[in-house]
Amino acid sequence: VERLTGRSRAIVRVMEQVSHVASTRATVLIEGETGTGKGLVAQAVHRLSPRKAERFVWVNCGALAEGVIESELFGHERGSFTGATQQRRGHFERAAGGTLFLDEITEMPIELQSKLLRVLESGALTRVGGETHIPVSVRLVAASNRPPREAIQTNKLREDLFYRLNVFPIVLPPLREREGDALLLADHFLRALNASAEADKRLSDRARERIRAHPWPGNVRELKNELHRAFIMSGEVIELDDLASGTRPDPASAPGDGIQ
């Protein structure tokens, strides 16, 4: 399992928060830009919790079709709709005893959020087409890549659900605010790539300086993907020119950016 990596004050603070909340039953709401590692934080909460031996179920609410998301979350009974040829347990039941991670919670249809709220408050669910109340015990972690209060104002998130989820908020800093971590992460990813390919590639000084100076608007995900691409394109040394054009300095501004 990939883990949180970094030494900046901002990410160390996140690690401290994770270590404190993991052993509790508190619901966690993770906020951060796309690519900052919200899924890694959710996995860390589970891995450090008393539920670590049970399942960790990751659900991307933005990737589920609107017509099936209720069935995916809460399950359905046989014959409850066209194509429901057998009873099916949903993600809540599959995660019973463990942790359910609802990523991109603001992409869940607003009308379904009220049902989610009822399940969280009652500790029981009803499958689509069913009448039986089924008790479920799950640790819920949710994440949003947009500010929750902004999502409330644009009717993407119910305010009452927000307060139910926001028991323990964790705000992930963007990579540009994690001083020194870009190079640390680059070295971490490069070690993994070298191990996988049985290689011994390294970053040139100019490439290292550019990785350090680049703002990485796509955050850790952008850095990881860019390093993978450069690894494929390079020889034994990953040079500045092996980095994608978007991460290289503008020739017009190069003299002033610290790269000779």
XYZ file of all heavy atoms in Angstrom, residues 49-151:
792
model
N -6.201 1.882 12.363
C -7.381 1.748 13.213
C -7.553 0.319 13.719
O -6.950 -0.619 13.193
C -8.634 2.159 12.438
O -9.022 1.119 11.541
N -8.409 0.131 14.714
C -8.710 -1.226 15.181
C -9.420 -2.069 14.115
O -9.543 -3.286 14.280
C -9.638 -0.979 16.385
C -9.347 0.417 16.823
C -9.034 1.164 15.567
N -9.884 -1.440 13.031
C -10.594 -2.142 11.964
C -9.664 -2.597 10.843
O -10.121 -3.055 9.802
C -11.680 -1.229 11.367
C -12.761 -0.824 12.365
C -13.682 0.241 11.765
N -14.742 0.616 12.694
C -15.987 0.167 12.635
N -16.335 -0.682 11.676
N -16.890 0.553 13.515
N -8.357 -2.473 11.029
C -7.401 -2.702 9.947
C -7.470 -4.107 9.360
O -7.096 -4.313 8.195
C -5.985 -2.417 10.442
C -5.515 -3.310 11.575
C -4.141 -2.889 12.055
C -3.672 -3.750 13.224
N -2.354 -3.300 13.730
N -7.942 -5.077 10.134
C -8.018 -6.451 9.622
C -9.255 -6.667 8.753
O -9.367 -7.691 8.068
C -8.024 -7.442 10.781
N -10.173 -5.720 8.784
C -11.404 -5.822 7.995
C -11.243 -5.068 6.674
O -10.198 -4.498 6.390
C -12.593 -5.283 8.802
C -12.784 -5.960 10.155
C -13.048 -7.449 10.032
O -13.634 -7.866 9.002
O -12.654 -8.188 10.944
N -12.291 -5.032 5.886
C -12.202 -4.491 4.525
C -12.148 -2.967 4.496
O -12.765 -2.288 5.316
C -13.393 -4.958 3.687
C -13.466 -6.457 3.512
C -14.530 -6.856 2.512
N -14.144 -6.492 1.151
C -14.818 -6.844 0.068
N -15.928 -7.555 0.178
N -14.418 -6.494 -1.134
N -11.394 -2.465 3.535
C -11.396 -1.045 3.188
C -12.042 -0.949 1.816
O -11.498 -1.462 0.831
C -9.969 -0.495 3.154
C -9.874 0.936 2.682
C -10.038 1.989 3.575
C -9.617 1.236 1.345
C -9.942 3.311 3.145
C -9.520 2.546 0.904
C -9.688 3.587 1.806
N -13.212 -0.325 1.744
C -13.962 -0.237 0.487
C -13.933 1.210 -0.006
O -14.405 2.117 0.686
C -15.414 -0.723 0.664
C -16.194 -0.570 -0.645
C -15.432 -2.186 1.124
N -13.380 1.393 -1.201
C -13.207 2.729 -1.795
C -14.275 2.919 -2.863
O -14.328 2.169 -3.836
C -11.811 2.829 -2.391
C -11.402 4.181 -2.913
C -12.199 5.160 -3.411
C -10.059 4.672 -2.989
N -11.445 6.238 -3.802
C -10.140 5.969 -3.549
C -8.811 4.135 -2.652
C -8.981 6.737 -3.775
C -7.677 4.913 -2.880
C -7.762 6.195 -3.430
N -15.117 3.932 -2.700
C -16.178 4.227 -3.659
C -15.981 5.635 -4.199
O -15.981 6.605 -3.434
C -17.581 4.121 -3.013
C -18.668 4.414 -4.058
C -17.789 2.764 -2.381
N -15.789 5.756 -5.503
C -15.699 7.063 -6.144
C -17.104 7.465 -6.568
O -17.632 6.962 -7.566
C -14.760 7.000 -7.350
C -14.523 8.367 -7.983
O -15.342 9.278 -7.839
N -13.415 8.513 -8.677
N -17.704 8.370 -5.814
C -19.096 8.762 -6.079
C -19.247 9.416 -7.449
O -20.321 9.349 -8.059
C -19.586 9.709 -4.989
S -19.603 8.982 -3.332
N -18.176 10.038 -7.945
C -18.248 10.699 -9.237
C -18.177 9.736 -10.406
O -18.463 10.114 -11.542
N -17.806 8.482 -10.140
C -17.658 7.506 -11.220
C -18.861 6.586 -11.345
O -18.919 5.764 -12.264
C -16.397 6.670 -10.989
N -19.841 6.714 -10.443
C -21.018 5.850 -10.475
C -22.147 6.522 -11.244
O -22.424 7.708 -11.038
C -21.489 5.536 -9.054
C -20.531 4.711 -8.182
C -21.108 4.559 -6.781
C -20.273 3.343 -8.796
N -22.780 5.788 -12.135
C -23.917 6.327 -12.885
C -25.051 6.665 -11.930
O -25.314 5.924 -10.969
C -24.381 5.316 -13.931
N -25.719 7.774 -12.190
C -26.757 8.247 -11.270
C -27.854 7.217 -11.059
O -28.408 7.098 -9.970
C -27.356 9.562 -11.805
C -28.268 10.253 -10.811
C -28.575 11.691 -11.213
O -27.774 12.287 -11.954
O -29.612 12.218 -10.760
N -28.151 6.426 -12.068
C -29.244 5.471 -11.947
C -28.931 4.253 -11.098
O -29.846 3.534 -10.693
N -27.632 4.012 -10.822
C -27.270 2.800 -10.072
C -26.585 3.091 -8.747
O -26.303 2.174 -7.990
C -26.348 1.883 -10.915
C -27.024 1.505 -12.219
C -24.995 2.551 -11.185
N -26.329 4.348 -8.452
C -25.534 4.659 -7.269
C -26.223 4.220 -5.975
O -25.574 3.733 -5.057
C -25.167 6.170 -7.216
C -24.176 6.420 -6.069
C -26.389 7.043 -7.112
C -23.574 7.816 -6.102
N -27.560 4.339 -5.911
C -28.252 3.911 -4.691
C -28.104 2.409 -4.493
O -27.826 1.929 -3.385
C -29.736 4.287 -4.749
C -30.484 3.912 -3.473
C -31.925 4.400 -3.462
O -32.352 5.047 -4.444
O -32.627 4.136 -2.463
N -28.258 1.644 -5.562
C -28.087 0.201 -5.488
C -26.653 -0.168 -5.148
O -26.398 -1.096 -4.371
C -28.491 -0.443 -6.822
O -28.138 -1.809 -6.849
N -25.690 0.566 -5.717
C -24.282 0.297 -5.441
C -23.964 0.508 -3.962
O -23.215 -0.255 -3.354
C -23.387 1.199 -6.297
C -23.374 0.840 -7.768
C -22.611 -0.449 -8.044
O -21.638 -0.727 -7.330
O -22.996 -1.173 -8.979
N -24.526 1.554 -3.378
C -24.236 1.869 -1.980
C -24.992 0.982 -1.007
O -24.418 0.466 -0.037
C -24.562 3.341 -1.685
C -23.600 4.396 -2.230
C -24.135 5.782 -1.920
C -22.204 4.216 -1.637
N -26.288 0.809 -1.254
C -27.151 0.170 -0.259
C -27.645 -1.217 -0.657
O -28.304 -1.889 0.133
C -28.355 1.078 0.030
C -27.964 2.485 0.406
C -28.403 3.570 -0.342
C -27.131 2.715 1.491
C -28.033 4.861 -0.009
C -26.755 4.008 1.832
C -27.201 5.088 1.085
N -27.308 -1.657 -1.885
C -27.745 -2.968 -2.328
C -29.173 -2.966 -2.854
O -29.879 -1.955 -2.787
N -29.615 -4.117 -3.378
C -30.996 -4.218 -3.854
C -31.505 -5.641 -3.677
O -30.736 -6.598 -3.545
C -31.103 -3.787 -5.322
C -30.321 -4.644 -6.275
N -29.147 -4.227 -6.871
C -30.541 -5.912 -6.751
C -28.689 -5.176 -7.661
N -29.503 -6.225 -7.608
N -32.829 -5.750 -3.683
C -33.478 -7.051 -3.597
C -33.784 -7.563 -5.006
O -33.909 -6.788 -5.954
C -34.777 -6.945 -2.790
C -34.583 -6.500 -1.342
C -33.875 -7.528 -0.480
O -33.673 -8.672 -0.950
O -33.504 -7.205 0.659
N -33.888 -8.841 -5.126
C -34.225 -9.455 -6.405
C -35.564 -8.925 -6.907
O -36.535 -8.825 -6.156
C -34.298 -10.972 -6.239
C -34.647 -11.714 -7.514
C -34.674 -13.198 -7.260
N -35.058 -13.935 -8.469
C -35.166 -15.260 -8.537
N -34.909 -16.002 -7.450
N -35.521 -15.840 -9.661
N -35.609 -8.551 -8.180
C -36.842 -8.061 -8.784
C -37.177 -6.618 -8.475
O -38.233 -6.129 -8.859
N -36.267 -5.908 -7.808
C -36.567 -4.522 -7.420
C -36.560 -3.571 -8.612
O -37.157 -2.500 -8.564
C -35.578 -4.044 -6.357
O -34.241 -4.176 -6.808
N -35.890 -3.961 -9.700
C -35.900 -3.166 -10.931
C -35.484 -4.083 -12.077
O -35.008 -5.204 -11.855
C -34.974 -1.946 -10.828
C -33.558 -2.268 -10.436
C -32.615 -2.661 -11.386
C -33.159 -2.176 -9.107
C -31.314 -2.961 -11.026
C -31.852 -2.471 -8.738
C -30.924 -2.866 -9.695
N -35.666 -3.615 -13.289
C -35.315 -4.415 -14.465
C -33.835 -4.776 -14.439
O -32.975 -3.910 -14.305
C -35.619 -3.634 -15.758
O -36.997 -3.281 -15.773
C -35.298 -4.475 -16.982
N -33.548 -6.038 -14.515
C -32.169 -6.494 -14.476
C -31.713 -6.970 -13.112
O -30.631 -7.554 -12.988
N -32.526 -6.728 -12.077
C -32.177 -7.188 -10.720
C -32.605 -8.643 -10.574
O -33.650 -8.955 -9.998
C -32.850 -6.301 -9.676
N -31.790 -9.530 -11.122
C -32.152 -10.954 -11.146
C -31.816 -11.673 -9.844
O -32.223 -12.818 -9.651
C -31.437 -11.663 -12.308
O -30.024 -11.476 -12.161
C -31.893 -11.076 -13.643
N -31.061 -11.019 -8.983
C -30.758 -11.625 -7.696
C -30.484 -10.542 -6.656
O -30.238 -9.398 -6.997
C -29.540 -12.553 -7.809
C -28.276 -11.865 -8.301
C -27.142 -12.848 -8.514
O -27.306 -14.051 -8.328
N -25.974 -12.349 -8.907
N -30.545 -10.949 -5.401
C -30.262 -10.018 -4.314
C -28.784 -9.626 -4.360
O -27.924 -10.422 -4.684
C -30.588 -10.696 -2.984
C -30.427 -9.804 -1.771
C -30.550 -10.595 -0.479
O -29.608 -11.242 -0.036
N -31.746 -10.582 0.106
N -28.500 -8.370 -4.028
C -27.115 -7.891 -4.069
C -26.816 -7.002 -2.872
O -27.583 -6.088 -2.560
C -26.861 -7.104 -5.357
C -25.421 -6.660 -5.556
C -25.274 -5.885 -6.852
N -23.893 -5.569 -7.146
C -23.216 -4.547 -6.609
N -23.813 -3.728 -5.751
N -21.955 -4.332 -6.935
N -25.715 -7.279 -2.209
C -25.263 -6.419 -1.118
C -24.540 -5.206 -1.697
O -23.805 -5.321 -2.667
C -24.311 -7.170 -0.190
C -24.922 -8.340 0.545
C -23.957 -8.878 1.601
N -22.629 -9.135 1.040
C -21.506 -9.111 1.740
N -21.530 -8.818 3.026
N -20.343 -9.375 1.164
N -24.742 -4.055 -1.083
C -24.083 -2.840 -1.534
C -22.773 -2.611 -0.803
O -22.334 -3.419 0.016
N -22.142 -1.486 -1.101
C -20.835 -1.184 -0.522
C -20.888 -1.066 0.996
O -19.918 -1.432 1.680
C -20.286 0.104 -1.130
C -19.930 -0.026 -2.581
N -19.073 -1.005 -3.053
C -20.315 0.694 -3.669
C -18.930 -0.876 -4.366
N -19.682 0.139 -4.760
N -21.991 -0.551 1.545
C -22.095 -0.439 2.999
C -22.007 -1.815 3.649
O -21.279 -2.001 4.632
C -23.403 0.251 3.397
C -23.253 1.726 3.658
C -23.394 2.639 2.630
C -22.969 2.188 4.923
C -23.253 3.997 2.856
C -22.818 3.545 5.169
C -22.968 4.461 4.135
N -22.731 -2.765 3.128
C -22.707 -4.111 3.707
C -21.359 -4.790 3.460
O -20.864 -5.524 4.320
C -23.842 -4.957 3.132
C -25.223 -4.553 3.641
C -26.306 -5.465 3.110
O -26.473 -6.573 3.657
O -26.965 -5.067 2.127
N -20.758 -4.549 2.304
C -19.461 -5.155 2.009
C -18.371 -4.623 2.940
O -17.404 -5.323 3.238
C -19.076 -4.890 0.556
C -19.923 -5.634 -0.469
C -19.541 -5.258 -1.890
N -18.126 -5.436 -2.131
C -17.310 -4.503 -2.617
N -17.796 -3.301 -2.920
N -16.034 -4.749 -2.814
N -18.548 -3.387 3.400
C -17.553 -2.770 4.277
C -17.842 -3.013 5.755
O -17.123 -2.489 6.617
C -17.488 -1.265 4.009
N -18.867 -3.784 6.060
C -19.273 -3.999 7.456
C -18.089 -4.434 8.310
O -17.356 -5.361 7.961
C -20.385 -5.033 7.518
N -17.893 -3.747 9.422
C -16.790 -4.040 10.322
C -15.513 -3.313 9.957
O -14.581 -3.228 10.762
N -15.454 -2.783 8.723
C -14.260 -2.101 8.255
C -14.501 -0.623 8.003
O -15.214 0.045 8.748
N -13.898 -0.122 6.922
C -13.960 1.306 6.607
C -14.538 1.500 5.206
O -14.131 0.825 4.261
C -12.553 1.939 6.664
O -12.009 1.744 7.968
C -12.609 3.430 6.364
N -15.473 2.437 5.086
C -16.037 2.808 3.791
C -15.551 4.210 3.453
O -15.783 5.161 4.210
C -17.564 2.783 3.838
C -18.292 3.183 2.545
C -17.970 2.212 1.418
C -19.803 3.247 2.776
N -14.862 4.337 2.323
C -14.336 5.625 1.880
C -15.175 6.139 0.718
O -15.179 5.555 -0.366
C -12.875 5.468 1.456
C -12.263 6.718 0.877
C -12.485 7.968 1.439
C -11.435 6.650 -0.247
C -11.919 9.119 0.906
C -10.858 7.782 -0.791
C -11.107 9.021 -0.213
N -15.894 7.222 0.946
C -16.718 7.841 -0.087
C -15.954 9.024 -0.668
O -15.940 10.122 -0.113
C -18.065 8.293 0.489
C -18.982 7.186 1.015
C -20.294 7.774 1.523
C -19.252 6.135 -0.073
N -15.287 8.782 -1.784
C -14.500 9.811 -2.456
C -15.428 10.667 -3.320
O -16.433 10.181 -3.833
C -13.439 9.133 -3.315
C -12.312 10.076 -3.708
O -12.299 11.224 -3.235
O -11.443 9.653 -4.491
N -15.077 11.929 -3.472
C -15.876 12.884 -4.258
C -17.330 12.881 -3.782
O -18.269 12.758 -4.576
C -15.776 12.564 -5.748
C -14.372 12.718 -6.311
C -14.328 12.662 -7.828
O -15.344 12.993 -8.470
O -13.276 12.276 -8.369
N -17.509 13.056 -2.503
C -18.838 12.986 -1.889
C -19.787 14.029 -2.480
O -21.000 13.792 -2.572
C -18.734 13.172 -0.350
C -20.074 12.943 0.342
C -18.155 14.524 0.014
C -20.567 11.521 0.303
N -19.257 15.152 -2.948
C -20.122 16.198 -3.504
C -20.681 15.832 -4.867
O -21.543 16.532 -5.400
C -19.375 17.547 -3.605
O -18.197 17.373 -4.398
C -18.966 18.048 -2.229
N -20.191 14.725 -5.463
C -20.724 14.265 -6.740
C -21.894 13.299 -6.552
O -22.510 12.869 -7.531
C -19.630 13.586 -7.561
C -18.421 14.474 -7.841
C -18.811 15.817 -8.431
O -19.531 15.830 -9.442
O -18.395 16.855 -7.866
N -22.206 12.966 -5.307
C -23.366 12.127 -5.045
C -24.637 12.949 -5.265
O -24.723 14.092 -4.807
C -23.342 11.608 -3.594
C -24.516 10.722 -3.227
S -24.483 10.184 -1.485
C -23.061 9.103 -1.518
N -25.635 12.410 -5.987
C -26.875 13.172 -6.210
C -27.445 13.683 -4.896
O -27.469 12.966 -3.888
C -27.800 12.132 -6.856
C -26.867 11.166 -7.518
C -25.665 11.086 -6.620
N -27.896 14.932 -4.911
C -28.336 15.592 -3.683
C -29.489 14.844 -3.019
O -29.578 14.773 -1.786
C -28.721 17.077 -3.973
C -28.784 17.886 -2.692
C -29.996 17.153 -4.789
C -27.435 18.255 -2.148
N -30.373 14.226 -3.833
C -31.512 13.511 -3.252
C -31.070 12.228 -2.547
O -31.725 11.764 -1.613
C -32.563 13.194 -4.327
C -32.077 12.318 -5.465
C -31.423 13.109 -6.591
O -31.170 14.321 -6.397
O -31.175 12.509 -7.654
N -29.961 11.657 -2.978
C -29.459 10.444 -2.333
C -28.714 10.772 -1.037
O -28.613 9.931 -0.143
C -28.541 9.683 -3.287
C -28.081 8.293 -2.850
C -29.286 7.394 -2.550
C -27.199 7.660 -3.914
N -28.221 11.994 -0.932
C -27.510 12.390 0.271
C -28.398 12.323 1.515
O -27.920 12.034 2.613
C -26.929 13.802 0.110
C -25.818 13.877 -0.920
C -25.233 15.266 -1.053
O -25.333 16.093 -0.139
N -24.616 15.549 -2.194
N -29.697 12.563 1.344
C -30.614 12.477 2.490
C -30.724 11.038 2.980
O -30.799 10.789 4.195
C -31.995 13.024 2.120
O -32.560 12.278 1.048
N -30.694 10.074 2.068
C -30.740 8.669 2.468
C -29.440 8.266 3.150
O -29.458 7.522 4.145
C -30.999 7.776 1.256
C -31.166 6.306 1.633
C -31.764 5.477 0.516
C -32.031 4.046 0.988
N -32.688 3.228 -0.049
N -28.330 8.762 2.638
C -27.051 8.498 3.285
C -27.065 9.037 4.713
O -26.597 8.367 5.644
C -25.916 9.158 2.487
C -24.531 9.137 3.130
C -24.047 7.709 3.353
C -23.534 9.915 2.269
N -27.595 10.223 4.878
C -27.679 10.819 6.214
C -28.501 9.941 7.157
O -28.114 9.721 8.311
C -28.287 12.223 6.120
C -28.407 13.002 7.439
C -27.035 13.246 8.048
C -29.139 14.318 7.197
N -29.608 9.413 6.678
C -30.448 8.549 7.518
C -29.699 7.283 7.924
O -29.796 6.833 9.064
C -31.740 8.180 6.774
C -32.740 9.306 6.651
C -34.123 8.786 6.296
N -34.148 8.069 5.025
C -34.340 8.655 3.852
N -34.490 9.970 3.779
N -34.368 7.937 2.741
N -28.945 6.716 7.003
C -28.165 5.508 7.309
C -27.109 5.816 8.366
O -26.912 5.047 9.313
C -27.512 4.942 6.034
C -26.532 3.820 6.380
C -28.578 4.438 5.070
N -26.443 6.950 8.222
C -25.403 7.315 9.182
C -25.981 7.568 10.569
O -25.374 7.216 11.584
C -24.649 8.556 8.695
C -23.859 8.405 7.387
C -23.184 9.708 7.022
C -22.832 7.291 7.512
N -27.149 8.169 10.607
C -27.756 8.493 11.899
C -28.400 7.286 12.562
O -28.396 7.165 13.788
C -28.780 9.614 11.727
C -28.130 10.962 11.382
C -29.151 12.071 11.208
O -30.322 11.758 10.942
O -28.757 13.244 11.344
N -28.950 6.370 11.771
C -29.657 5.219 12.335
C -28.766 3.987 12.480
O -29.068 3.082 13.271
C -30.859 4.860 11.467
O -30.437 4.378 10.197
N -27.685 3.933 11.710
C -26.829 2.757 11.730
C -27.454 1.556 11.039
O -27.045 0.422 11.252
N -28.457 1.813 10.199
C -29.125 0.721 9.478
C -29.527 1.216 8.095
O -29.743 2.410 7.877
C -30.350 0.239 10.247
N -29.629 0.273 7.151
C -30.025 0.635 5.793
C -31.146 -0.269 5.311
O -31.419 -1.321 5.887
C -28.822 0.535 4.838
C -28.112 -0.818 4.691
C -28.841 -1.753 3.718
C -26.680 -0.618 4.213
N -31.776 0.154 4.241
C -32.785 -0.655 3.570
C -32.367 -0.793 2.113
O -32.132 0.210 1.436
C -34.171 0.010 3.638
O -34.510 0.223 5.014
C -35.223 -0.872 2.984
N -32.244 -2.019 1.629
C -31.865 -2.219 0.234
C -32.961 -1.685 -0.692
O -34.133 -1.620 -0.315
C -31.649 -3.707 -0.050
C -30.498 -4.345 0.723
C -30.242 -5.752 0.215
N -29.260 -6.463 1.037
C -29.508 -7.575 1.713
N -30.719 -8.122 1.663
N -28.566 -8.154 2.418
N -32.579 -1.325 -1.909
C -33.541 -0.887 -2.914
C -34.549 -2.017 -3.140
O -34.167 -3.160 -3.384
C -32.835 -0.528 -4.234
C -33.857 -0.182 -5.318
C -31.862 0.632 -4.027
N -35.833 -1.677 -3.042
C -36.883 -2.670 -3.233
C -37.160 -3.517 -2.009
O -38.002 -4.419 -2.050
N -36.475 -3.227 -0.898
C -36.662 -4.011 0.320
C -37.385 -3.230 1.406
O -37.627 -2.031 1.280
N -37.724 -3.924 2.482
C -38.383 -3.295 3.620
C -37.641 -3.541 4.929
O -37.879 -2.866 5.918
C -39.825 -3.815 3.753
C -40.704 -3.483 2.549
C -42.114 -4.022 2.707
O -42.365 -4.736 3.707
O -42.971 -3.725 1.834
N -36.728 -4.500 4.921
C -36.007 -4.868 6.142
C -34.916 -3.851 6.451
O -34.150 -3.454 5.570
C -35.374 -6.260 5.993
O -36.378 -7.197 5.646
C -34.688 -6.683 7.284
N -34.844 -3.442 7.718
C -33.765 -2.557 8.168
C -32.568 -3.424 8.558
O -32.674 -4.259 9.463
C -34.214 -1.700 9.350
C -35.291 -0.722 8.991
N -35.054 0.410 8.240
C -36.614 -0.716 9.268
C -36.185 1.066 8.070
N -37.152 0.404 8.684
N -31.459 -3.209 7.884
C -30.274 -4.035 8.083
C -29.212 -3.218 8.828
O -28.707 -2.224 8.301
C -29.707 -4.504 6.731
C -30.775 -5.278 5.954
C -28.453 -5.355 6.930
C -30.405 -5.534 4.514
N -28.873 -3.621 10.072
C -27.841 -2.882 10.817
C -26.478 -2.994 10.120
O -26.115 -4.063 9.632
C -27.809 -3.585 12.180
C -29.084 -4.358 12.255
C -29.419 -4.736 10.849
N -25.756 -1.894 10.068
C -24.410 -1.897 9.500
C -23.474 -1.101 10.412
O -23.833 -0.043 10.910
C -24.366 -1.300 8.074
C -24.956 -2.248 7.055
C -25.059 0.049 8.002
N -22.296 -1.655 10.621
C -21.281 -0.978 11.430
C -20.067 -0.726 10.548
O -19.311 -1.640 10.235
C -20.890 -1.844 12.633
O -19.785 -1.266 13.321
N -19.913 0.525 10.112
C -18.768 0.886 9.274
C -18.149 2.180 9.798
O -18.823 3.022 10.383
C -19.161 1.080 7.784
C -19.708 -0.186 7.182
C -20.135 2.227 7.622
N -16.858 2.306 9.576
C -16.158 3.573 9.826
C -16.221 4.347 8.518
O -15.768 3.867 7.475
C -14.707 3.299 10.218
C -13.768 4.537 10.221
C -14.107 5.455 11.347
N -13.197 6.544 11.565
C -11.996 6.473 12.155
N -11.479 5.314 12.512
N -11.304 7.562 12.387
N -16.806 5.537 8.538
C -16.958 6.307 7.308
C -15.898 7.387 7.206
O -15.677 8.163 8.132
C -18.342 6.948 7.230
C -18.640 7.623 5.881
C -18.864 6.574 4.802
C -19.851 8.528 5.973
N -15.243 7.412 6.041
C -14.329 8.486 5.681
C -14.819 9.042 4.352
O -15.109 8.277 3.426
C -12.877 7.977 5.542
C -11.950 9.127 5.152
C -12.405 7.327 6.840
N -14.959 10.355 4.261
C -15.417 10.986 3.021
C -14.378 12.002 2.559
O -13.552 12.468 3.350
C -16.765 11.664 3.226
N -14.414 12.320 1.271
C -13.456 13.289 0.733
C -14.123 14.174 -0.303
O -15.059 13.761 -0.988
C -12.258 12.570 0.114
N -13.609 15.394 -0.394
C -14.119 16.346 -1.374
C -12.959 17.133 -1.954
O -12.066 17.574 -1.220
C -15.111 17.316 -0.709
O -15.480 18.351 -1.609
N -12.950 17.301 -3.289
C -11.898 18.114 -3.906
C -12.358 19.554 -4.121
O -11.654 20.350 -4.730
C -11.413 17.504 -5.225
C -12.522 17.341 -6.241
O -13.612 17.881 -6.066
N -12.253 16.602 -7.300
N -13.536 19.877 -3.621
C -14.005 21.262 -3.645
C -14.332 21.664 -2.210
O -14.748 20.822 -1.414
C -15.213 21.435 -4.562
C -16.467 20.751 -4.104
C -17.626 21.089 -5.016
N -17.693 20.247 -6.198
C -18.356 20.568 -7.303
N -19.007 21.707 -7.368
N -18.389 19.740 -8.336
N -14.148 22.934 -1.842
C -14.452 23.346 -0.466
C -15.888 22.998 -0.107
O -16.820 23.388 -0.827
C -14.226 24.858 -0.503
C -13.254 25.072 -1.625
C -13.610 24.037 -2.650
N -16.120 22.245 0.988
C -17.477 21.808 1.329
C -18.481 22.948 1.452
O -19.622 22.825 1.008
C -17.277 21.085 2.665
C -15.877 20.587 2.613
C -15.120 21.656 1.893
N -18.075 24.056 2.049
C -19.032 25.166 2.230
C -19.412 25.790 0.889
O -20.523 26.263 0.706
C -18.452 26.204 3.192
C -18.273 25.641 4.607
C -17.815 26.678 5.596
N -17.517 26.070 6.881
C -18.427 25.746 7.805
N -19.714 25.986 7.562
N -18.068 25.194 8.944
N -18.476 25.764 -0.052
C -18.789 26.219 -1.410
C -19.766 25.247 -2.069
O -20.690 25.653 -2.778
C -17.501 26.307 -2.224
C -17.678 26.689 -3.679
C -16.369 26.648 -4.439
O -15.450 27.391 -4.059
O -16.252 25.854 -5.400
N -19.572 23.948 -1.814
C -20.469 22.936 -2.365
C -21.872 23.079 -1.793
O -22.867 22.829 -2.484
C -19.916 21.537 -2.072
